[in-house]
């Protein structure tokens, strides 16, 4: 396998492809970066090192906590992945 830089690179090797930007909540407009709805498994790329990322603000972090808690209440398994995890291969450990 070549260099893995994105979740897309990993998902190329899976028999089922995820849905990007999947809206999982019946009321809120929350979306998962990648989701396998039939399995209720989702992956979120956490761009905490990006200058533009909403994950770097307190408001964004609090919103993400609310989103992930609601996802669990709806029986979703959510895996959070960073660029560092993709680079060192740790992202493969959860997939």
């Amino acid at each position: 396998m070549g260099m893995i830089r994105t979740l897309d690179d990993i998902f190329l090797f899976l028999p089922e492809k995820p849905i990007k930007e999947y809206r999982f909540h019946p009321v809120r407009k929350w979306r998962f970066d990648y989701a396998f709805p039939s399995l209720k498994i989702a992956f979120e790329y956490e761009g905490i090192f990006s200058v533009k990322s909403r994950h770097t603000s307190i408001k964004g972090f609090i919103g993400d906590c609310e989103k992930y808690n609601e996802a669990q209440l709806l029986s979703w398994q959510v895996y959070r992945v960073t660029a560092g995890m993709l680079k060192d291969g740790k992202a493969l450990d959860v997939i």
Side-chain angles (χ1 to χ4, degrees):
M1 185 182 305
M3 169 100 73
I4 296 173
R5 294 194 172 123
T6 68
L7 283 169
D8 285 318
D9 294 338
I10 294 172
F11 295 142
L12 286 173
F13 299 96
L14 298 180
E16 181 181 345
K17 302 305 177 215
I19 297 172
K20 291 183 181 183
E21 295 298 320
Y22 180 77
R23 185 174 172 186
F24 72 93
H25 196 273
V27 177
R28 301 288 301 263
K29 293 182 180 179
W30 287 316
R31 297 175 187 274
F32 291 130
D33 293 333
Y34 298 89
F36 296 88
S38 64
L39 303 172
K40 284 204 160 192
I41 294 175
F43 292 87
E44 290 279 282
Y45 178 77
E46 303 293 353
I48 58 173
F49 301 110
S50 172
V51 176
K52 298 180 190 177
S53 176
R54 64 180 283 282
H55 304 284
T56 59
S57 72
I58 292 171
K59 182 179 178 183
F61 179 80
I62 291 169
D64 282 348
C65 288
E66 184 180 359
K67 172 183 171 180
Y68 299 145
N69 288 338
E70 285 290 323
Q72 286 190 320
L73 290 171
L74 294 171
S75 302
W76 281 89
Q77 293 180 45
V78 181
Y79 296 93
R80 301 168 67 193
V81 177
T82 66
M85 292 171 74
L86 290 168
K87 185 176 180 180
D88 68 14
K90 289 181 182 174
L92 288 171
D93 294 340
V94 298
I95 297 176

